Amino acid sequence: MLTIITRWTITIAITAGLALGGPLPASQAESTMYPVSYPTFPVNINETKTDQIHSAYPLLLYRDITYFPMTWDYTSALGLSITWNEQTGLSIDILDKNKGCTPLRQTLLPQANSSSGSTSAILPPFPVKVNGSLIDNSKEPYPVLFYNNITYFPMTWRYTREEFAWKTTWDNLRGYEIQSCERPIQEKLIQRDSFNLKNGGQLAAKGDWIYMNPIKSSGGPHSLVKANVDDSNRLKLSDDNAMFINVVGEWLYYVTTESSKQNAIYKIRTDGTDRVMVSQTAASSLWVRDGWMYYIQLVEQNDKIRGAYQTAAGIFRMKTDGSSEQKLLVDSKVFGLYVLDERIYFRTKEDEHTKLYTMNLDGSGQELLQDDVTDFIVVDDWIYYIRDRKQIHKMSLDGSVDIPLYEFEKPQLSSMTYWNGWVYYTIVSSGSISGSNPIERISIDGTGRQKVTEARPLALYIAGDEMYIAHWSMGDHTLLHFKLKN
């Protein structure tokens, strides 16, 4: 058992090279060369999967021991503090548990790190202390190493468990996992809710319950129901053809089709009582955040061929009581609304190209991020997007770093979502009415592409460890589901 634990023990890398005043003399470097390589198994920190292939500070392996590189972002995520002094060297100390950890922020580069071959590290030319105790590198079987101006610290059982009190696990599928702090549950739920709303909001989840429109049909009848996450114990709440369902406290906000008014905004309690129209505004892509409703306003058009139909007028917001409507963006080609923290992300159709933009919540600060984006989601401060329906990329929130992950032979990619380190997407490959299309997934670093199942999916939703599919059949969008696997 001890051999297994130490083999996959993670290490800490602390940025300290810039304080050293230049490179080591050649003679010293040559006498302390240690052969290292890059590990190929997954690593998770506080339930966030790391991308080691594109990491600016990749993990290393020395004598089958994993050395975990850590910049300031990594030490903060693991609940550690670091101090540097030219006389006393580097000190690593565990923070007070009450102070918690910050969310992991990864510095990534478009260039992929090699998964094979080897390189060399050296010994750091300064003292290193852990929780006040000086490390004697001459007596350590796994010494502290220095690589690309980063201090790599070997975390054996003594350090991960006894010094830092982390929970560590190893799994053949998920790889190595470190739990230094509990990831805030609300952070994970906001991400999941965002994926579901982006895909149409035919389903929303809260706790052990889901709220859904089981069959979205142009002909009806319709129903808004409440059920357990596995779709058991259904309870009908209303006859609404509800979409873009938001769970806000004990209320559901959603868009529904009424005979007298298309796509009005309603709310109802989660027990099915007190149903009321919030606004007669015709809307789609409804997002409820911090007392505001953000949405794409629709206007009715008529022509001799199509008859009456609705088109976008732009992005608006109003208070959740239906007051204080504000115009944020006027654009008849806007779609794909996504509200995250203090920013709105949206797509527009311009000259046969779909462009991804971002702006502030009040409509100011509009910026173009990327061209030809056919779908996207935001996961752990990275935008994962489909380009030209055939390429999967990810980029930083400001668009400054763009990383190609995978390219398919032809344009056939559609709806995206995310679960446990995997990006799920649909492939439109069948032209037959009775045929089915694959649902696949790929790791956040672009590896491990695999087929999950087949259906005729128009949208993907996540509730607990269940994936719900908006399955197309003769014009109906019927929700089917299956259990997800790691």
Side-chain angles (χ1 to χ4, degrees), residues 175-194:
Y176 193 86
E177 300 193 58
I178 297 176
Q179 189 83 40
S180 59
C181 299
E182 293 291 334
R183 184 174 183 181
I185 185 65
Q186 191 61 25
E187 180 183 306
K188 295 187 291 184
L189 296 181
I190 289 174
Q191 278 198 160
R192 179 206 61 192
D193 295 345
S194 297

Side-chain angles (χ1 to χ4, degrees), residues 329 343-348 350 355-360 363-371 383 395-400:
L329 176 73
R343 302 289 287 179
I344 298 174
Y345 299 83
F346 60 93
R347 290 182 292 152
T348 63
E350 303 174 30
K355 297 179 180 290
L356 176 61
Y357 286 87
T358 183
M359 65 181 180
N360 296 321
S364 64
Q366 181 176 325
E367 300 175 16
L368 173 64
L369 293 179
Q370 190 60 254
D371 291 328
I383 301 172
M395 66 177 169
S396 55
L397 293 180
D398 62 2
S400 61

Side-chain angles (χ1 to χ4, degrees), residues 157-390:
W157 177 275
R158 174 163 63 99
Y159 293 108
T160 56
R161 296 299 182 94
E162 297 176 6
E163 294 286 355
F164 300 141
W166 297 339
K167 297 178 182 178
T168 58
T169 58
W170 168 259
D171 180 87
N172 287 333
L173 292 176
R174 288 185 58 80
Y176 193 86
E177 300 193 58
I178 297 176
Q179 189 83 40
S180 59
C181 299
E182 293 291 334
R183 184 174 183 181
I185 185 65
Q186 191 61 25
E187 180 183 306
K188 295 187 291 184
L189 296 181
I190 289 174
Q191 278 198 160
R192 179 206 61 192
D193 295 345
S194 297
F195 308 148
N196 290 342
L197 280 173
K198 187 274 302 181
N199 284 338
Q202 193 174 339
L203 175 148
K206 181 181 180 182
D208 296 327
W209 296 97
I210 57 173
Y211 304 88
M212 63 179 176
N213 179 356
I215 304 177
K216 179 180 180 292
S217 172
S218 57
H222 308 111
S223 61
L224 172 60
V225 306
K226 174 181 181 178
N228 293 126
V229 169
D230 62 0
D231 197 14
S232 61
N233 301 319
R234 282 194 186 185
L235 174 65
K236 182 178 177 180
L237 302 181
S238 73
D239 292 320
D240 289 313
N241 187 21
M243 295 295 289
F244 303 106
I245 303 170
N246 293 254
V247 187
V248 183
E250 297 304 314
W251 290 92
L252 305 179
Y253 288 79
Y254 54 93
V255 172
T256 191
T257 302
E258 293 289 317
S259 58
S260 59
K261 187 68 178 178
Q262 295 291 308
N263 292 43
I265 301 174
Y266 275 76
K267 70 176 183 178
I268 192 172
R269 291 191 184 273
T270 54
D271 62 3
T273 61
D274 297 333
R275 176 180 178 272
V276 62
M277 179 186 287
V278 178
S279 174
Q280 291 186 346
T281 298
S284 70
S285 299
L286 176 68
W287 292 66
V288 183
R289 294 289 186 269
D290 298 326
W292 288 93
M293 300 186 298
Y294 299 84
Y295 55 92
I296 295 175
Q297 190 178 97
L298 304 176
V299 294
E300 189 167 303
Q301 306 284 353
N302 284 278
D303 64 33
K304 294 181 179 179
I305 299 176
R306 298 177 61 182
Y309 64 97
Q310 291 181 318
T311 62
I315 299 175
F316 289 70
R317 72 174 180 178
M318 70 171 66
K319 296 283 191 177
T320 51
D321 62 2
S323 66
S324 305
E325 185 177 58
Q326 299 176 10
K327 184 187 303 179
L328 305 181
L329 176 73
V330 177
D331 194 324
S332 62
K333 302 295 184 180
V334 67
F335 63 105
L337 193 64
Y338 201 106
V339 182
L340 177 70
D341 297 330
E342 300 300 316
R343 302 289 287 179
I344 298 174
Y345 299 83
F346 60 93
R347 290 182 292 152
T348 63
K349 188 78 171 180
E350 303 174 30
D351 300 325
E352 303 305 318
H353 295 278
T354 53
K355 297 179 180 290
L356 176 61
Y357 286 87
T358 183
M359 65 181 180
N360 296 321
L361 295 181
D362 62 1
S364 64
Q366 181 176 325
E367 300 175 16
L368 173 64
L369 293 179
Q370 190 60 254
D371 291 328
D372 300 316
V373 176
T374 48
D375 198 18
F376 73 99
I377 55 177
V378 183
V379 182
D380 296 332
D381 290 337
W382 288 90
I383 301 172
Y384 292 78
Y385 70 95
I386 296 173
R387 188 170 190 177
D388 288 331
R389 297 184 64 232
K390 65 179 295 187

Side-chain angles (χ1 to χ4, degrees), residues 11-18 45 50 52 55-59 67-83 90 92 102-109 147-153 166:
T11 66
I12 298 180
I14 309 297
T15 303
L18 296 179
I45 298 178
T50 65
Q52 294 304 315
S55 176
Y57 308 101
L59 281 72
Y67 280 63
F68 203 125
M70 255 189 148
T71 61
W72 178 264
D73 291 334
Y74 277 96
T75 55
S76 299
L78 288 176
L80 300 175
S81 67
I82 56 172
T83 56
L90 183 69
I92 307 170
T102 63
L104 176 63
R105 301 289 181 255
Q106 300 185 64
T107 303
L108 306 179
L109 303 172
Y147 177 74
N148 282 351
N149 287 331
I150 302 293
T151 304
Y152 282 74
F153 196 90
W166 297 339

Side-chain angles (χ1 to χ4, degrees), residues 23 39 82 118 139 146 184-185 198 253 270 402 409 432 439 453 476 483:
I82 56 172
S118 62
K139 297 180 180 179
F146 197 61
I185 185 65
K198 187 274 302 181
Y253 288 79
T270 54
D402 186 83
E409 292 183 359
S432 170
I439 298 173
T453 189
D476 293 341
K483 191 171 293 294

Side-chain angles (χ1 to χ4, degrees), residues 35-100:
V36 294
S37 59
Y38 300 116
T40 57
F41 48 83
V43 175
N44 297 268
I45 298 178
N46 297 335
E47 300 180 53
T48 297
K49 189 172 184 178
T50 65
D51 181 349
Q52 294 304 315
I53 289 181
H54 301 97
S55 176
Y57 308 101
L59 281 72
L60 297 176
L61 280 176
Y62 170 64
R63 293 175 57 196
D64 288 334
I65 294 297
T66 309
Y67 280 63
F68 203 125
M70 255 189 148
T71 61
W72 178 264
D73 291 334
Y74 277 96
T75 55
S76 299
L78 288 176
L80 300 175
S81 67
I82 56 172
T83 56
W84 167 258
N85 184 285
E86 290 188 7
Q87 286 72 42
T88 61
L90 183 69
S91 294
I92 307 170
D93 297 280
I94 188 169
L95 286 172
D96 186 333
K97 285 294 184 181
N98 294 326
K99 296 183 179 179

